[in-house]
């Protein structure tokens, strides 16, 4: 630990460099936007890459801050923004490049063109996609483009966001995206109704042999007796997967007079019961249903889940509808079940291979109704999906964390809004804590303590944990770190982060009273930051929407976490504020906040000083030479 009798001087870092070609550093206002509770301004959680630069002190790297903020600045007042570790000027010359590899509605394309340079290149091979992606900031796909690990490797860190225009993301390698810090967003709501309606359309047309009868009549035949169907009223429909589409199918089937059951290991039973649907086991669902409608994603657990064994358990004469993913059905097994009569009919909109070869037994089977992946193919859905994914991609490129992100901590929009200022606090506490660690100390464990008046079960801290993780590992990592890959990188570096929630007597209207970050088994370059338990400990609160540092070790302070901070341990005596203030003033360094905390009068005290500019090395040396100052540290946010 740093001795209380020494005056260690923390060498200030040189100005952080950026990978941008612009010679001008980002403006302070563009990097430090704080929350204002105005209904007209949307919440935007900043989610940007970062890269470190070398500094004169071997144990310290300083990185530009990526805020989680509610931005209140317009493009005119904030010409510089951070995207992917680059200073992006809002001009035509620095527009991001957005590659659209599959057809997208014109309304979505217009939104994209207003923000960036749009390259619509369809039917790309994997090789061509890998060549193009190296110059792209964003990629928008539907279900046909495979975004593999090779694609992310070829992007070399430039790709910031992949947008999937639709619900399923099985064609995107999420693990690789996370490792490379690329956000993946989808459009899960716009085509929900369209997909559900198509499922019901296939259900009804299959039951009444509509497609077969139509083909027969157009061939000049009149075969009323051949195409006798079955009624839907009173029949049992098993909805396999009770997500957005599955639940909409269930509602419509209830309206047709069907009995509806569902199997979904993640479906809340109370939500299903609210619309008159019973949640049952997989075997019970398939063995009692007259109709089975598939609405599960394609995962390793669901791949070919309908196989010979499954079909052996179904009720003889069952009818199957699939508007989800072709891979959940073993297509050869389905053909065998159709041939044996175990499965009476099937109506399929999706296939293992798309486009499906026209000569396959399944497509040509006389008791199978097929459509070419039309689930989302309505004018309204196509426009809605295009707009939804375009907004999500543009938001991500602006640094916002979309509510549709699939590889970042997911929390509801109302929770995002409530926690927004605490997200800023969380990252900055992590960033401060790691800068207090003496060079050579490996950080292996951290503890986060949330104090709140709310019940622990009523406090979602996943986003806060991710931001604290980001704040801790970003200044000591050579990797591009953002909210997406923070947890992955922490695990890779052997950093274990635990959480504790403490109920305190405070206003329950505030989600969090304070956040405390503790680093264990490390040496501190500022001895006063060490608590009685031997850990580096700092604590902060949100006041009027602004994050504040309120505790350092056992000392109470109160300084806004804005700009940079100087912490001094001193003898508690008159004139100290003036001496330090004069030194900074002579160097034209503006003091934004100053706070003094002490344990005993006229003994030791900690002075916390917020400064807008970065003091020179000479200024810091001069502060260290003040006789009453025992130790100090300069911390860069």
């Amino acid at each position: 630990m740093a001795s209380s009798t020494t005056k260690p001087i923390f060498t200030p870092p040189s100005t952080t460099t950026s990978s941008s070609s612009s010679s001008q550093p980002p403006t302070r206002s563009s990097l430090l936007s704080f929350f204002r509770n105005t209904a007209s301004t949307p919440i935007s959680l900043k989610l940007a890459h970062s890269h470190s630069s070398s500094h004169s002190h071997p144990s310290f790297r300083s990185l530009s801050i990526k805020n989680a903020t509610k931005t209140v600045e317009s493009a005119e007042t904030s010409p510089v923004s951070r995207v992917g570790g680059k200073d992006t000027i809002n001009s035509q010359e620095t527009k991001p490049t957005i590659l659209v590899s599959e057809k997208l509605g014109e309304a979505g394309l217009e939104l994209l063109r207003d923000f960036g340079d749009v390259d619509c290149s369809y039917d790309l091979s994997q090789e061509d996609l890998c060549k193009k992606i190296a110059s792209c900031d964003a990629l928008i796909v539907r279900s046909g483009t495979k975004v593999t690990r090779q694609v992310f490797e070829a992007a070399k860190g430039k790709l910031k966001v992949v947008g999937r225009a639709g619900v399923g993301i099985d064609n995107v390698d999420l693990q690789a995206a996370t490792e490379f810090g690329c956000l993946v967003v989808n459009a899960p709501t716009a085509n929900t109704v369209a997909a559900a309606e198509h499922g019901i359309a296939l259900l009804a047309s299959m039951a009444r042999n509509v497609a077969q009868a139509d083909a027969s009549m157009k061939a000049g035949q009149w075969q009323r007796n051949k195409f006798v169907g079955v009624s839907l009223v009173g029949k049992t429909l098993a909805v396999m997967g009770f997500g957005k589409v599955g639940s909409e199918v269930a509602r419509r089937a209830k309206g047709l007079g069907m009995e509806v059951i569902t199997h979904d290991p993640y479906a809340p039973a109370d939500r299903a019961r609210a619309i008159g649907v019973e949640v049952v086991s997989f075997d019970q669902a398939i063995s009692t249903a007259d109709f089975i409608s598939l609405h599960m994603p394609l995962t390793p657990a669901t791949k070919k889940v309908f196989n010979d064994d499954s079909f052996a358990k179904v009720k003889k004469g069952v009818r199957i509808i699939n508007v989800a993913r072709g891979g959940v059905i073993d297509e050869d097994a389905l053909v065998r079940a159709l041939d044996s009569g175990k499965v009476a009919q099937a109506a399929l909109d999706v296939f293992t291979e798309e486009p499906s070869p026209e000569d396959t037994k399944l497509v040509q089977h006389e008791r199978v109704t097929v459509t070419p992946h039309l689930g989302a193919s309505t004018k309204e859905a196509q426009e809605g999906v295009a707009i939804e994914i375009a907004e999500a991609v543009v938001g991500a490129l602006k640094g916002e964390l979309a509510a549709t992100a699939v590889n970042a901590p997911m929390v509801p929009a109302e929770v995002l809004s409530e926690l927004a200022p605490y997200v800023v606090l969380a990252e900055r506490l992590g960033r401060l804590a790691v800068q207090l660690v003496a060079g050579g100390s490996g950080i292996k464990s951290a503890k986060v303590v949330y104090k709140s008046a709310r019940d622990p079960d009523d406090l979602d801290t996943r986003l806060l944990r991710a931001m604290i993780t980001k704040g801790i590992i970003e200044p000591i990592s050579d990797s591009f770190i953002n909210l997406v890959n923070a947890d992955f990188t922490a695990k890779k570096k052997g950093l274990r982060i635990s959480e504790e929630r403490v109920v305190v007597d405070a206003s329950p209207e505030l989600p969090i009273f304070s956040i405390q970050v503790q680093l264990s088994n490390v040496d501190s370059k500022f001895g006063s930051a060490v608590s009685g338990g031997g850990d580096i400990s700092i604590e902060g609160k949100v006041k009027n929407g602004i994050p504040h540092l309120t505790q350092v070790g056992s000392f109470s302070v109160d300084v806004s976490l804005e700009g940079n901070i100087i912490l001094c341990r001193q003898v508690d005596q008159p004139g100290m504020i003036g001496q330090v203030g004069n030194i900074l003033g002579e160097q034209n360094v503006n003091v934004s906040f100053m706070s003094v905390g002490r344990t005993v009068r006229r003994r030791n005290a900690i002075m916390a000083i917020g400064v807008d500019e970065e003091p020179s090395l000479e200024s810091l040396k001069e502060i260290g030479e003040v006789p009453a100052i025992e130790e100090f540290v300069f911390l860069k946010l």
Side-chain angles (χ1 to χ4, degrees):
M1 299 296 179
S3 170
S4 61
T5 60
T6 62
K7 298 182 181 180
I9 295 178
F10 186 45
T11 305
S14 59
T15 303
T16 302
T17 59
S18 159
S19 57
S20 171
S21 60
S22 171
S23 61
Q24 296 298 321
T27 62
R28 180 173 169 276
S29 63
S30 69
L31 299 179
L32 297 171
S33 301
F34 287 98
F35 298 93
R36 306 291 189 271
N37 189 19
T38 55
S40 62
T41 310
I43 291 294
S44 60
L45 295 180
K46 292 294 182 183
L47 181 79
H49 293 269
S50 173
H51 195 15
S52 61
S53 57
S54 300
H55 304 291
S56 53
H57 193 286
S59 65
F60 181 75
R61 295 189 180 106
S62 175
L63 290 91
S64 297
I65 193 165
K66 269 65 63 187
N67 296 325
T69 67
K70 182 177 183 182
T71 307
V72 297
E73 300 163 313
S74 66
E76 289 77 18
T77 59
S78 179
V80 183
S81 59
R82 295 287 292 179
V83 177
K86 298 182 179 181
D87 302 332
T88 301
I89 313 298
N90 294 326
S91 70
Q92 294 294 325
E93 296 180 353
T94 56
K95 281 186 174 182
T97 299
I98 304 168
L99 174 62
V100 181
S101 67
E102 297 177 69
K103 289 186 178 180
L104 195 68
E106 188 61 31
L109 290 175
E110 285 301 315
L111 285 173
L112 295 173
R113 291 182 183 121
D114 287 342
F115 181 77
D117 294 323
V118 179
D119 176 2
C120 293
S121 296
Y122 305 145
D123 302 320
L124 293 172
S125 67
Q126 275 284 297
E127 182 180 358
D128 290 338
L129 178 60
C130 288
K131 288 179 180 177
K132 270 187 170 289
I133 205 66
S135 61
C136 297
D137 299 282
L139 169 65
I140 295 180
V141 303
R142 297 188 75 88
S143 60
T145 303
K146 305 300 181 185
V147 191
T148 62
R149 177 174 291 274
Q150 288 70 32
V151 174
F152 291 107
E153 289 174 347
K156 298 179 180 179
K158 182 173 175 59
L159 187 64
K160 314 302 183 306
V161 57
V162 171
R164 164 65 169 95
V167 180
I169 39 82
D170 44 278
N171 55 318
V172 180
D173 189 332
L174 286 181
Q175 178 66 27
T178 301
E179 292 178 25
F180 284 89
C182 181
L183 184 69
V184 179
V185 296
N186 65 352
T189 61
N191 63 2
T192 296
V193 170
E197 288 178 346
H198 194 63
I200 293 296
L202 288 177
L203 169 73
S205 62
M206 174 181 61
R208 299 304 299 268
N209 298 302
V210 171
Q212 292 86 344
D214 174 75
S216 173
M217 282 196 67
K218 288 177 178 176
Q221 300 173 338
W222 185 271
Q223 298 175 297
R224 292 185 64 190
N225 294 332
K226 181 177 181 180
F227 299 117
V228 175
V230 295
S231 179
L232 300 179
V233 173
K235 297 298 194 308
T236 298
L237 171 68
V239 176
M240 309 301 287
F242 202 68
K244 291 182 174 65
V245 177
S247 59
E248 290 298 326
V249 166
R251 287 188 178 92
R252 285 155 177 77
K254 292 288 290 184
L256 294 172
M258 303 186 78
E259 299 294 329
V260 183
I261 58 178
T262 185
H263 170 72
D264 188 328
Y266 306 104
D270 55 347
R271 184 165 67 88
R273 283 195 299 268
I275 59 175
V277 177
E278 181 185 2
V279 179
V280 299
S281 68
F282 181 87
D283 285 351
Q284 184 179 353
I286 65 174
S287 63
T288 59
D290 301 298
F291 293 81
I292 299 174
S293 189
L294 309 185
H295 302 286
M296 69 271 286
L298 179 61
T299 67
T302 63
K303 186 175 182 179
K304 294 187 177 181
V305 67
F306 280 86
N307 48 37
D308 287 316
D309 291 340
S310 301
F311 291 130
K313 298 175 183 177
V314 301
K315 179 191 291 188
K316 183 176 176 59
V318 72
R319 289 167 169 83
I320 293 176
I321 307 99
N322 187 10
V323 294
R325 287 290 177 268
V328 302
I329 293 179
D330 182 332
E331 293 179 350
D332 292 335
L334 177 56
V335 170
R336 289 190 288 270
L338 286 162
D339 289 341
S340 70
K342 189 72 170 179
V343 174
Q345 289 178 290
L348 309 174
D349 185 48
V350 289
F351 305 88
T352 301
E353 181 184 351
E354 294 185 359
S356 179
E358 62 180 25
D359 59 346
T360 61
K361 290 183 179 180
L362 186 62
V363 171
Q364 295 299 326
H365 204 287
E366 64 176 356
R367 287 186 281 116
V368 175
T369 301
V370 292
T371 53
H373 206 144
L374 298 180
S377 294
T378 66
K379 291 181 179 179
E380 296 83 357
Q382 290 297 298
E383 182 176 356
V385 167
I387 292 173
E388 185 175 9
I389 198 61
E391 290 177 340
V393 168
V394 169
L397 289 173
K398 288 180 178 179
E400 302 168 5
L401 176 59
T404 60
V406 295
N407 64 336
M410 291 304 301
V411 291
E414 62 271 18
V415 177
L416 283 178
S417 177
E418 185 178 51
L419 291 183
Y422 301 92
V423 171
V424 183
L425 173 65
E427 182 185 5
R428 296 184 187 179
L429 287 175
R431 194 172 289 272
L432 285 183
V434 73
Q435 292 183 56
L436 290 168
V437 177
S441 297
I443 305 173
K444 295 300 180 184
S445 65
K447 181 178 181 180
V448 185
V449 180
Y450 307 100
K451 296 179 182 178
S452 174
R454 296 185 182 179
D455 186 275
D457 292 334
D458 191 31
L459 183 61
D460 190 337
T461 61
R462 291 173 296 170
L463 185 58
L464 300 177
R465 169 193 166 91
M467 294 304 291
I468 289 170
T469 304
K470 176 180 185 292
I472 291 175
I473 66 176
E474 192 171 58
I476 55 174
S477 174
D478 291 325
S479 305
F480 290 103
I481 305 297
N482 63 13
L483 184 58
V484 175
N485 63 358
D487 276 347
F488 172 82
T489 307
K491 291 177 182 178
K492 189 175 179 181
K493 291 182 175 296
L495 173 61
R496 178 180 177 273
I497 297 184
S498 61
E499 296 177 288
E500 180 181 343
R501 305 179 190 187
V502 178
V503 178
V504 295
D505 185 14
S507 171
E509 294 183 1
L510 296 176
I512 295 173
F513 177 72
S514 69
I515 300 176
Q516 183 182 75
V517 177
Q518 303 173 6
L519 300 182
S520 305
N521 302 315
V522 292
D523 294 331
S524 175
K525 60 183 58 174
F526 186 66
S528 300
V530 178
S531 66
D535 301 332
I536 291 178
S537 176
I538 58 174
E539 188 170 332
K541 299 178 182 178
V542 171
K543 299 183 178 183
N544 299 318
I546 307 298
H548 281 242
L549 179 66
T550 57
Q551 191 85 15
V552 176
S554 58
F555 292 88
S556 296
V557 296
D558 188 4
V559 61
S560 170
L561 289 175
E562 180 180 6
N564 308 301
I565 294 177
I566 300 173
L567 294 177
C568 302
R569 187 180 74 203
Q570 64 194 49
V571 176
D572 185 29
Q573 63 183 38
M576 293 302 301
I577 293 177
Q579 289 187 61
V580 176
N582 285 336
I583 294 172
L584 295 172
E586 290 174 358
Q587 295 292 325
N588 200 31
V589 175
N590 189 52
V591 175
S592 56
F593 292 92
M594 184 175 287
S595 172
V596 176
R598 61 187 181 186
T599 53
V600 180
R601 185 178 179 183
R602 296 282 182 166
R603 296 284 296 275
N604 284 332
I606 280 189
M607 180 163 53
I609 309 166
V611 292
D612 292 338
E613 293 80 21
E614 184 177 321
S616 65
L617 179 59
E618 292 73 20
S619 299
L620 293 174
K621 285 182 177 180
E622 193 172 345
I623 291 173
E625 291 169 356
V626 174
I629 292 180
E630 297 175 336
E631 63 170 350
F632 81 99
V633 64
F634 171 74
L635 305 173
K636 186 177 179 64
L637 285 174

